[in-house]
């Protein structure tokens, strides 16, 4: 039987690409050039499967333009808000994602953002680089201490739970809001809030860890930011569209929140330039999963799903609308 042909839309670590080439006919993107949707659809001609990622927007129009030969879209990402799942299902195209493998790396970035934003790390580092550090100062560059404070987690899934575990090492009290309360064993003492409003009121640090869904988009709005305690730090490692940028920028100007650490943005990479004018934000370019081991594991998990599918089995990470 002919080997299935896979379009791998971005360049992945060598180990993963070599494994793909062992099992499949592969169309690689060695230059790692971003493809437009039209280019992606053209490149998919004659392919049996796509291995895209978060930078590939596969909306209903793109899905409907894919050749009939495409049977599965195995995205190398845990998030799948870039894919219209209902449109794929309507065409009988299976969709899989890559949970678990990026949990720890992403939670590490949440902790980095929390500390960096709370202590003003980006401004301080810039001061050194620019040669502007004149002296240690008893009252200069005073930040916010997070140890022993309340960590409020919006979305207590895999990554939220990992952030909670790491925050406990700082003696933080864990609060969370989720669609449902966790079983006590899973919650490990974390305090459940029925509503997002209730969570925001106790959020000394607010860590956004929920998926982007119609329910969560724009959830961080002006009314909720107004509920934050003094000196609150907001951290987003989930998706930019959970936050309304204009509102957050206005909030950061008036101290609610006092600081923010952001790894994800609306309309990446063309993020709202208003953030650049603020000294109390720590900005990273969507680095949550950016370690060699994690990126390799993501691509390999997508390949696991393809392997299962082409052997006639149900892939482990099938997602449905
Ligand atoms: C994902 O996999 O959804 C992440 O955003 C990539 O870092």
């Amino acid at each position: 039987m002919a080997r299935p042909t896979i379009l791998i839309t971005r360049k992945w670590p060598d180990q993963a690409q070599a494994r793909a080439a062992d099992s499949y006919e592969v169309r690689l993107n060695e230059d790692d050039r971003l493809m437009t949707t039209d280019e992606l659809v053209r490149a998919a001609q004659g392919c049996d499967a796509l291995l895209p990622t978060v930078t590939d927007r596969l909306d209903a129009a793109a899905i409907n333009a894919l050749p009939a030969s495409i049977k599965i879209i195995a995205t190398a990402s845990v998030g799948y808000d870039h894919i219209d799942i209902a449109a794929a299902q309507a065409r009988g195209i299976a969709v899989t994602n890559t949970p678990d493998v990026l949990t720890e790396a992403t939670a590490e970035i949440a902790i980095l953002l929390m500390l960096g934003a709370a202590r003003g790390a980006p401004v301080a580092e810039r001061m050194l680089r620019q040669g502007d550090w004149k002296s240690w100062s008893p009252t200069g560059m005073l930040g916010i201490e997070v140890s022993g404070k309340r960590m409020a987690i919006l979305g207590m899934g895999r990554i939220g739970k990992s952030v909670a575990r790491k925050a406990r090492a700082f003696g933080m009290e864990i609060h969370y809001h989720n669609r449902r309360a966790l079983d006590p064993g899973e919650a490990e003492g974390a305090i459940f809030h029925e509503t997002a409003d209730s969570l925001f009121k106790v959020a000394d640090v607010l860590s956004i860890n929920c998926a982007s869904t119609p329910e969560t988009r724009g959830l961080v709005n002006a009314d909720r930011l107004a509920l934050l305690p003094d000196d609150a730090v907001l951290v987003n490692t989930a998706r930019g569209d959970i936050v309304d940028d204009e509102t957050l920028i206005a909030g950061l100007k008036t101290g609610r929140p006092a600081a923010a650490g952001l790894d994800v943005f609306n309309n990446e990479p063309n993020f709202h330039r208003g953030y650049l004018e603020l000294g109390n934000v720590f900005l990273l370019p969507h680095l949550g999963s950016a370690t060699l081991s994690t990126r390799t594991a993501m691509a390999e998990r997508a390949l696991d799903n393809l392997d299962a599918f082409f052997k006639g089995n149900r892939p482990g990470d099938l997602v449905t609308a």
Side-chain angles (χ1 to χ4, degrees), residues 135-194:
S135 149
W136 184 91
S137 153
T139 53
M141 298 248 51
L142 301 182
I144 298 164
E145 202 162 316
V146 296
S147 293
K149 299 255 184 87
R150 295 165 297 185
M151 163 63 87
I153 297 179
L154 188 62
M156 195 69 148
R158 299 175 197 84
I159 298 171
K161 284 183 206 152
S162 177
V163 171
R165 278 194 297 278
K166 291 168 177 45
R168 284 190 187 98
F170 290 88
M172 299 184 82
E173 182 178 83
I174 312 299
H175 295 249
Y176 71 101
H177 169 64
N178 224 17
R179 270 170 305 189
R180 61 166 189 89
L182 302 180
D183 296 333
E186 254 187 315
E188 295 180 63
I191 300 158
F192 175 62
H193 291 252
E194 292 260 5

Short mmCIF file of all heavy atoms in Angstrom, two decimals, residues 135-194:
data_model
loop_
_atom_site.label_atom_id
_atom_site.label_comp_id
_atom_site.label_asym_id
_atom_site.label_seq_id
_atom_site.Cartn_x
_atom_site.Cartn_y
_atom_site.Cartn_z
N SER A 135 22.94 53.35 40.67
CA SER A 135 23.25 52.94 42.04
C SER A 135 22.15 52.04 42.57
O SER A 135 20.99 52.16 42.15
CB SER A 135 23.36 54.19 42.90
OG SER A 135 22.95 53.95 44.23
N TRP A 136 22.50 51.15 43.48
CA TRP A 136 21.48 50.43 44.25
C TRP A 136 20.69 51.49 45.00
O TRP A 136 21.25 52.47 45.50
CB TRP A 136 22.18 49.48 45.23
CG TRP A 136 21.22 48.62 46.02
CD1 TRP A 136 20.78 47.40 45.68
CD2 TRP A 136 20.62 48.93 47.28
NE1 TRP A 136 19.93 46.91 46.64
CE2 TRP A 136 19.81 47.83 47.64
CE3 TRP A 136 20.66 50.04 48.14
CZ2 TRP A 136 19.06 47.80 48.81
CZ3 TRP A 136 19.91 50.01 49.31
CH2 TRP A 136 19.12 48.89 49.64
N SER A 137 19.37 51.34 45.07
CA SER A 137 18.59 52.40 45.70
C SER A 137 17.54 51.81 46.63
O SER A 137 16.79 50.92 46.23
CB SER A 137 17.91 53.22 44.59
OG SER A 137 16.73 53.81 45.07
N PRO A 138 17.48 52.27 47.87
CA PRO A 138 16.54 51.69 48.84
C PRO A 138 15.08 51.80 48.39
O PRO A 138 14.26 50.96 48.75
CB PRO A 138 16.77 52.51 50.11
CG PRO A 138 18.08 53.17 49.94
CD PRO A 138 18.30 53.33 48.46
N THR A 139 14.78 52.77 47.61
CA THR A 139 13.38 52.94 47.22
C THR A 139 13.18 52.85 45.71
O THR A 139 12.13 53.19 45.19
CB THR A 139 12.85 54.31 47.71
OG1 THR A 139 13.75 55.32 47.24
CG2 THR A 139 12.74 54.35 49.23
N GLY A 140 14.23 52.39 45.00
CA GLY A 140 14.12 52.31 43.55
C GLY A 140 13.62 50.95 43.10
O GLY A 140 13.90 49.93 43.74
N MET A 141 12.88 50.90 42.04
CA MET A 141 12.46 49.67 41.37
C MET A 141 11.78 48.69 42.34
O MET A 141 12.06 47.50 42.31
CB MET A 141 13.69 48.98 40.73
CG MET A 141 14.35 49.79 39.66
SD MET A 141 14.19 49.10 37.99
CE MET A 141 12.50 48.77 37.76
N LEU A 142 10.90 49.20 43.14
CA LEU A 142 10.22 48.33 44.10
C LEU A 142 9.11 47.55 43.40
O LEU A 142 8.27 48.14 42.71
CB LEU A 142 9.64 49.15 45.26
CG LEU A 142 10.66 49.97 46.05
CD1 LEU A 142 9.98 50.71 47.20
CD2 LEU A 142 11.79 49.08 46.58
N GLY A 143 9.12 46.25 43.58
CA GLY A 143 8.12 45.42 42.92
C GLY A 143 7.10 44.87 43.89
O GLY A 143 6.96 45.35 45.02
N ILE A 144 6.40 43.85 43.43
CA ILE A 144 5.34 43.21 44.23
C ILE A 144 5.84 41.83 44.62
O ILE A 144 6.34 41.09 43.76
CB ILE A 144 4.05 43.08 43.38
CG1 ILE A 144 3.53 44.46 42.96
CG2 ILE A 144 2.98 42.28 44.11
CD1 ILE A 144 2.52 44.40 41.83
N GLU A 145 5.69 41.48 45.90
CA GLU A 145 6.11 40.15 46.36
C GLU A 145 4.89 39.22 46.26
O GLU A 145 3.80 39.59 46.70
CB GLU A 145 6.58 40.27 47.81
CG GLU A 145 7.49 39.19 48.23
CD GLU A 145 8.26 39.59 49.50
OE1 GLU A 145 8.76 40.74 49.57
OE2 GLU A 145 8.32 38.76 50.40
N VAL A 146 5.07 38.04 45.69
CA VAL A 146 3.91 37.16 45.51
C VAL A 146 3.84 36.03 46.53
O VAL A 146 2.80 35.39 46.69
CB VAL A 146 3.86 36.55 44.07
CG1 VAL A 146 3.68 37.64 43.03
CG2 VAL A 146 5.08 35.70 43.79
N SER A 147 4.93 35.76 47.21
CA SER A 147 4.95 34.64 48.17
C SER A 147 3.83 34.81 49.20
O SER A 147 3.64 35.90 49.74
CB SER A 147 6.30 34.57 48.88
OG SER A 147 7.29 34.22 47.94
N GLY A 148 3.11 33.73 49.45
CA GLY A 148 2.05 33.75 50.45
C GLY A 148 0.76 34.42 49.98
O GLY A 148 -0.23 34.46 50.72
N LYS A 149 0.74 34.94 48.76
CA LYS A 149 -0.46 35.61 48.26
C LYS A 149 -1.42 34.59 47.62
O LYS A 149 -1.14 33.41 47.57
CB LYS A 149 -0.07 36.66 47.21
CG LYS A 149 0.84 37.76 47.76
CD LYS A 149 0.08 39.03 47.97
CE LYS A 149 0.97 40.17 48.43
NZ LYS A 149 1.58 40.89 47.33
N ARG A 150 -2.52 35.11 47.07
CA ARG A 150 -3.53 34.23 46.46
C ARG A 150 -3.30 34.11 44.95
O ARG A 150 -3.28 35.12 44.26
CB ARG A 150 -4.94 34.78 46.74
CG ARG A 150 -5.30 34.77 48.21
CD ARG A 150 -6.49 35.64 48.51
NE ARG A 150 -6.22 37.04 48.20
CZ ARG A 150 -7.05 38.05 48.44
NH1 ARG A 150 -8.23 37.82 49.00
NH2 ARG A 150 -6.74 39.29 48.11
N MET A 151 -3.15 32.89 44.50
CA MET A 151 -3.02 32.60 43.06
C MET A 151 -4.39 32.18 42.55
O MET A 151 -4.95 31.18 43.01
CB MET A 151 -2.00 31.48 42.85
CG MET A 151 -2.06 30.80 41.48
SD MET A 151 -1.69 31.92 40.12
CE MET A 151 0.08 31.82 40.04
N ALA A 152 -4.94 32.94 41.62
CA ALA A 152 -6.28 32.65 41.09
C ALA A 152 -6.14 32.12 39.67
O ALA A 152 -5.60 32.80 38.80
CB ALA A 152 -7.11 33.93 41.10
N ILE A 153 -6.61 30.91 39.46
CA ILE A 153 -6.40 30.25 38.17
C ILE A 153 -7.73 30.17 37.42
O ILE A 153 -8.70 29.61 37.89
CB ILE A 153 -5.78 28.86 38.39
CG1 ILE A 153 -4.40 29.05 39.05
CG2 ILE A 153 -5.67 28.09 37.08
CD1 ILE A 153 -3.66 27.79 39.36
N LEU A 154 -7.71 30.79 36.26
CA LEU A 154 -8.91 30.77 35.41
C LEU A 154 -8.74 29.62 34.42
O LEU A 154 -7.97 29.72 33.46
CB LEU A 154 -8.99 32.12 34.68
CG LEU A 154 -10.22 32.43 33.87
CD1 LEU A 154 -11.47 32.46 34.74
CD2 LEU A 154 -10.06 33.79 33.18
N GLY A 155 -9.40 28.50 34.70
CA GLY A 155 -9.25 27.31 33.85
C GLY A 155 -8.30 26.32 34.50
O GLY A 155 -7.08 26.40 34.30
N MET A 156 -8.86 25.41 35.30
CA MET A 156 -8.02 24.49 36.07
C MET A 156 -7.90 23.15 35.32
O MET A 156 -8.26 22.09 35.83
CB MET A 156 -8.64 24.31 37.45
CG MET A 156 -7.73 23.68 38.47
SD MET A 156 -6.36 24.74 38.93
CE MET A 156 -6.16 24.24 40.63
N GLY A 157 -7.40 23.22 34.10
CA GLY A 157 -7.11 22.00 33.34
C GLY A 157 -5.68 21.57 33.64
O GLY A 157 -5.13 21.88 34.70
N ARG A 158 -5.06 20.88 32.69
CA ARG A 158 -3.71 20.36 32.91
C ARG A 158 -2.72 21.47 33.25
O ARG A 158 -1.95 21.37 34.21
CB ARG A 158 -3.20 19.64 31.66
CG ARG A 158 -4.02 18.44 31.25
CD ARG A 158 -3.48 17.91 29.93
NE ARG A 158 -4.43 17.05 29.30
CZ ARG A 158 -5.43 17.43 28.54
NH1 ARG A 158 -5.61 18.71 28.27
NH2 ARG A 158 -6.27 16.56 28.02
N ILE A 159 -2.74 22.54 32.43
CA ILE A 159 -1.75 23.60 32.65
C ILE A 159 -2.08 24.38 33.92
O ILE A 159 -1.19 24.69 34.72
CB ILE A 159 -1.66 24.52 31.40
CG1 ILE A 159 -1.18 23.70 30.19
CG2 ILE A 159 -0.71 25.68 31.67
CD1 ILE A 159 -1.25 24.41 28.85
N GLY A 160 -3.36 24.64 34.15
CA GLY A 160 -3.77 25.34 35.38
C GLY A 160 -3.31 24.58 36.62
O GLY A 160 -2.78 25.17 37.57
N LYS A 161 -3.47 23.27 36.59
CA LYS A 161 -3.06 22.46 37.76
C LYS A 161 -1.54 22.50 37.94
O LYS A 161 -1.05 22.51 39.07
CB LYS A 161 -3.51 21.00 37.57
CG LYS A 161 -5.00 20.82 37.81
CD LYS A 161 -5.33 19.33 37.67
CE LYS A 161 -6.77 19.18 37.26
NZ LYS A 161 -7.05 17.97 36.50
N SER A 162 -0.81 22.53 36.84
CA SER A 162 0.65 22.59 36.95
C SER A 162 1.09 23.96 37.49
O SER A 162 2.01 24.04 38.31
CB SER A 162 1.27 22.31 35.58
OG SER A 162 2.66 22.44 35.66
N VAL A 163 0.42 25.02 37.05
CA VAL A 163 0.71 26.35 37.61
C VAL A 163 0.44 26.33 39.12
O VAL A 163 1.23 26.83 39.92
CB VAL A 163 -0.13 27.45 36.91
CG1 VAL A 163 0.00 28.80 37.64
CG2 VAL A 163 0.28 27.60 35.45
N ALA A 164 -0.68 25.70 39.51
CA ALA A 164 -1.03 25.62 40.94
C ALA A 164 0.07 24.90 41.71
O ALA A 164 0.50 25.36 42.78
CB ALA A 164 -2.36 24.88 41.10
N ARG A 165 0.55 23.76 41.18
CA ARG A 165 1.61 23.01 41.87
C ARG A 165 2.85 23.88 42.08
O ARG A 165 3.45 23.91 43.14
CB ARG A 165 2.00 21.77 41.05
CG ARG A 165 1.06 20.58 41.25
CD ARG A 165 1.68 19.30 40.70
NE ARG A 165 1.91 19.33 39.26
CZ ARG A 165 1.00 19.08 38.33
NH1 ARG A 165 -0.24 18.77 38.69
NH2 ARG A 165 1.30 19.12 37.04
N LYS A 166 3.21 24.62 41.04
CA LYS A 166 4.41 25.45 41.13
C LYS A 166 4.18 26.62 42.08
O LYS A 166 5.07 27.00 42.86
CB LYS A 166 4.80 25.93 39.73
CG LYS A 166 5.30 24.76 38.85
CD LYS A 166 5.42 25.15 37.41
CE LYS A 166 5.99 24.04 36.53
NZ LYS A 166 5.45 22.71 36.72
N ALA A 167 2.97 27.20 42.04
CA ALA A 167 2.67 28.35 42.91
C ALA A 167 2.66 27.94 44.38
O ALA A 167 2.99 28.75 45.26
CB ALA A 167 1.32 28.95 42.51
N ARG A 168 2.31 26.69 44.66
CA ARG A 168 2.33 26.21 46.06
C ARG A 168 3.73 26.30 46.65
O ARG A 168 3.90 26.48 47.85
CB ARG A 168 1.79 24.78 46.16
CG ARG A 168 0.28 24.70 46.03
CD ARG A 168 -0.26 23.31 46.35
NE ARG A 168 -1.68 23.27 46.04
CZ ARG A 168 -2.21 22.78 44.92
NH1 ARG A 168 -1.43 22.23 44.01
NH2 ARG A 168 -3.51 22.82 44.72
N ALA A 169 4.74 26.15 45.79
CA ALA A 169 6.13 26.26 46.27
C ALA A 169 6.44 27.68 46.76
O ALA A 169 7.40 27.89 47.49
CB ALA A 169 7.11 25.86 45.16
N PHE A 170 5.62 28.65 46.35
CA PHE A 170 5.77 30.03 46.82
C PHE A 170 4.84 30.30 48.01
O PHE A 170 4.62 31.45 48.37
CB PHE A 170 5.45 31.02 45.69
CG PHE A 170 6.48 31.04 44.60
CD1 PHE A 170 6.38 30.18 43.52
CD2 PHE A 170 7.55 31.92 44.65
CE1 PHE A 170 7.32 30.18 42.51
CE2 PHE A 170 8.51 31.93 43.64
CZ PHE A 170 8.40 31.06 42.57
N GLY A 171 4.27 29.23 48.54
CA GLY A 171 3.35 29.39 49.67
C GLY A 171 2.05 30.09 49.28
O GLY A 171 1.37 30.67 50.13
N MET A 172 1.71 30.04 48.01
CA MET A 172 0.49 30.75 47.57
C MET A 172 -0.75 29.91 47.86
O MET A 172 -0.70 28.67 47.82
CB MET A 172 0.58 31.07 46.07
CG MET A 172 1.77 31.96 45.74
SD MET A 172 1.85 32.45 44.01
CE MET A 172 0.71 33.83 43.99
N GLU A 173 -1.85 30.60 48.15
CA GLU A 173 -3.14 29.92 48.36
C GLU A 173 -3.82 29.84 46.99
O GLU A 173 -3.94 30.86 46.30
CB GLU A 173 -3.99 30.75 49.33
CG GLU A 173 -5.33 30.15 49.66
CD GLU A 173 -6.07 31.03 50.65
OE1 GLU A 173 -6.70 32.01 50.19
OE2 GLU A 173 -6.00 30.76 51.86
N ILE A 174 -4.25 28.66 46.62
CA ILE A 174 -4.76 28.47 45.25
C ILE A 174 -6.28 28.59 45.19
O ILE A 174 -7.00 27.92 45.94
CB ILE A 174 -4.35 27.09 44.69
CG1 ILE A 174 -2.85 26.80 44.92
CG2 ILE A 174 -4.72 26.98 43.21
CD1 ILE A 174 -1.88 27.76 44.27
N HIS A 175 -6.75 29.44 44.30
CA HIS A 175 -8.19 29.60 44.01
C HIS A 175 -8.37 29.30 42.52
O HIS A 175 -7.45 29.52 41.73
CB HIS A 175 -8.62 31.03 44.29
CG HIS A 175 -8.52 31.40 45.74
ND1 HIS A 175 -9.62 31.63 46.53
CD2 HIS A 175 -7.44 31.58 46.54
CE1 HIS A 175 -9.23 31.92 47.76
NE2 HIS A 175 -7.91 31.91 47.80
N TYR A 176 -9.55 28.86 42.13
CA TYR A 176 -9.75 28.62 40.70
C TYR A 176 -11.22 28.74 40.32
O TYR A 176 -12.12 28.57 41.15
CB TYR A 176 -9.21 27.24 40.29
CG TYR A 176 -10.02 26.05 40.78
CD1 TYR A 176 -10.91 25.38 39.94
CD2 TYR A 176 -9.89 25.60 42.09
CE1 TYR A 176 -11.64 24.30 40.39
CE2 TYR A 176 -10.62 24.51 42.56
CZ TYR A 176 -11.49 23.87 41.70
OH TYR A 176 -12.22 22.80 42.15
N HIS A 177 -11.42 29.04 39.05
CA HIS A 177 -12.76 29.00 38.46
C HIS A 177 -12.68 28.12 37.22
O HIS A 177 -11.74 28.22 36.43
CB HIS A 177 -13.23 30.40 38.07
CG HIS A 177 -14.48 30.38 37.23
ND1 HIS A 177 -15.68 29.90 37.69
CD2 HIS A 177 -14.69 30.76 35.94
CE1 HIS A 177 -16.58 29.99 36.73
NE2 HIS A 177 -16.01 30.50 35.65
N ASN A 178 -13.66 27.24 37.12
CA ASN A 178 -13.70 26.22 36.09
C ASN A 178 -15.16 25.97 35.77
O ASN A 178 -16.02 26.36 36.55
CB ASN A 178 -13.16 24.93 36.74
CG ASN A 178 -12.20 24.19 35.87
OD1 ASN A 178 -11.68 24.75 34.92
ND2 ASN A 178 -11.98 22.93 36.20
N ARG A 179 -15.42 25.23 34.68
CA ARG A 179 -16.82 24.85 34.43
C ARG A 179 -17.36 24.00 35.57
O ARG A 179 -18.51 24.09 35.94
CB ARG A 179 -16.93 24.08 33.12
CG ARG A 179 -17.19 25.01 31.94
CD ARG A 179 -17.07 24.27 30.66
NE ARG A 179 -15.76 23.62 30.60
CZ ARG A 179 -15.28 23.02 29.52
NH1 ARG A 179 -15.98 22.97 28.43
NH2 ARG A 179 -14.09 22.45 29.52
N ARG A 180 -16.50 23.15 36.15
CA ARG A 180 -16.96 22.32 37.27
C ARG A 180 -15.87 22.28 38.35
O ARG A 180 -14.68 22.45 38.05
CB ARG A 180 -17.29 20.90 36.80
CG ARG A 180 -16.12 20.17 36.21
CD ARG A 180 -16.31 18.67 36.04
NE ARG A 180 -15.04 18.06 35.67
CZ ARG A 180 -14.13 17.60 36.51
NH1 ARG A 180 -14.35 17.64 37.82
NH2 ARG A 180 -13.00 17.07 36.08
N ALA A 181 -16.32 22.03 39.57
CA ALA A 181 -15.36 21.90 40.67
C ALA A 181 -14.61 20.58 40.51
O ALA A 181 -15.19 19.59 40.07
CB ALA A 181 -16.08 21.94 42.01
N LEU A 182 -13.34 20.58 40.85
CA LEU A 182 -12.55 19.35 40.78
C LEU A 182 -12.90 18.46 41.97
O LEU A 182 -13.33 18.95 43.01
CB LEU A 182 -11.06 19.67 40.84
CG LEU A 182 -10.49 20.60 39.77
CD1 LEU A 182 -8.99 20.79 39.99
CD2 LEU A 182 -10.73 20.05 38.37
N ASP A 183 -12.64 17.16 41.80
CA ASP A 183 -12.75 16.27 42.95
C ASP A 183 -11.73 16.71 43.99
O ASP A 183 -10.64 17.18 43.61
CB ASP A 183 -12.42 14.82 42.54
CG ASP A 183 -13.44 14.31 41.54
OD1 ASP A 183 -14.58 14.80 41.57
OD2 ASP A 183 -13.08 13.44 40.71
N PRO A 184 -12.04 16.53 45.28
CA PRO A 184 -11.12 17.01 46.31
C PRO A 184 -9.69 16.50 46.12
O PRO A 184 -8.73 17.26 46.31
CB PRO A 184 -11.74 16.48 47.62
CG PRO A 184 -13.18 16.27 47.29
CD PRO A 184 -13.27 15.96 45.83
N GLY A 185 -9.52 15.25 45.71
CA GLY A 185 -8.17 14.71 45.52
C GLY A 185 -7.40 15.47 44.46
O GLY A 185 -6.21 15.75 44.59
N GLU A 186 -8.11 15.83 43.38
CA GLU A 186 -7.50 16.58 42.27
C GLU A 186 -7.24 18.03 42.66
O GLU A 186 -6.27 18.64 42.23
CB GLU A 186 -8.50 16.59 41.12
CG GLU A 186 -8.21 15.69 39.95
CD GLU A 186 -9.22 16.00 38.86
OE1 GLU A 186 -10.44 16.13 39.17
OE2 GLU A 186 -8.79 16.13 37.72
N ALA A 187 -8.15 18.59 43.47
CA ALA A 187 -8.07 20.02 43.80
C ALA A 187 -6.90 20.31 44.75
O ALA A 187 -6.37 21.42 44.77
CB ALA A 187 -9.38 20.48 44.43
N GLU A 188 -6.50 19.32 45.51
CA GLU A 188 -5.38 19.48 46.46
C GLU A 188 -5.52 20.76 47.29
O GLU A 188 -4.58 21.53 47.43
CB GLU A 188 -4.04 19.48 45.72
CG GLU A 188 -3.72 18.14 45.06
CD GLU A 188 -2.38 18.16 44.33
OE1 GLU A 188 -1.36 18.33 45.01
OE2 GLU A 188 -2.38 18.03 43.10
N GLY A 189 -6.75 20.99 47.76
CA GLY A 189 -6.98 22.14 48.64
C GLY A 189 -7.30 23.44 47.92
O GLY A 189 -7.58 24.46 48.55
N ALA A 190 -7.25 23.45 46.59
CA ALA A 190 -7.56 24.67 45.85
C ALA A 190 -9.04 25.03 46.05
O ALA A 190 -9.90 24.15 46.11
CB ALA A 190 -7.26 24.47 44.36
N ILE A 191 -9.31 26.33 46.16
CA ILE A 191 -10.67 26.79 46.50
C ILE A 191 -11.43 27.12 45.21
O ILE A 191 -10.98 27.95 44.41
CB ILE A 191 -10.56 28.02 47.43
CG1 ILE A 191 -9.82 27.61 48.71
CG2 ILE A 191 -11.94 28.61 47.74
CD1 ILE A 191 -9.20 28.77 49.47
N PHE A 192 -12.58 26.46 45.05
CA PHE A 192 -13.38 26.63 43.82
C PHE A 192 -14.25 27.88 43.90
O PHE A 192 -14.85 28.16 44.94
CB PHE A 192 -14.27 25.40 43.65
CG PHE A 192 -15.23 25.48 42.49
CD1 PHE A 192 -14.75 25.59 41.18
CD2 PHE A 192 -16.60 25.47 42.70
CE1 PHE A 192 -15.63 25.66 40.10
CE2 PHE A 192 -17.49 25.53 41.61
CZ PHE A 192 -16.99 25.63 40.32
N HIS A 193 -14.33 28.62 42.80
CA HIS A 193 -15.23 29.78 42.69
C HIS A 193 -16.23 29.49 41.58
O HIS A 193 -15.82 29.19 40.46
CB HIS A 193 -14.44 31.05 42.37
CG HIS A 193 -13.57 31.49 43.51
ND1 HIS A 193 -13.85 32.60 44.27
CD2 HIS A 193 -12.45 30.94 44.02
CE1 HIS A 193 -12.92 32.72 45.22
NE2 HIS A 193 -12.06 31.73 45.08
N GLU A 194 -17.50 29.61 41.93
CA GLU A 194 -18.57 29.32 40.95
C GLU A 194 -18.53 30.28 39.77
O GLU A 194 -18.90 29.92 38.66
CB GLU A 194 -19.95 29.50 41.63
CG GLU A 194 -20.27 28.50 42.69
CD GLU A 194 -21.19 27.41 42.20
OE1 GLU A 194 -21.50 27.39 40.99
OE2 GLU A 194 -21.57 26.56 43.02
#
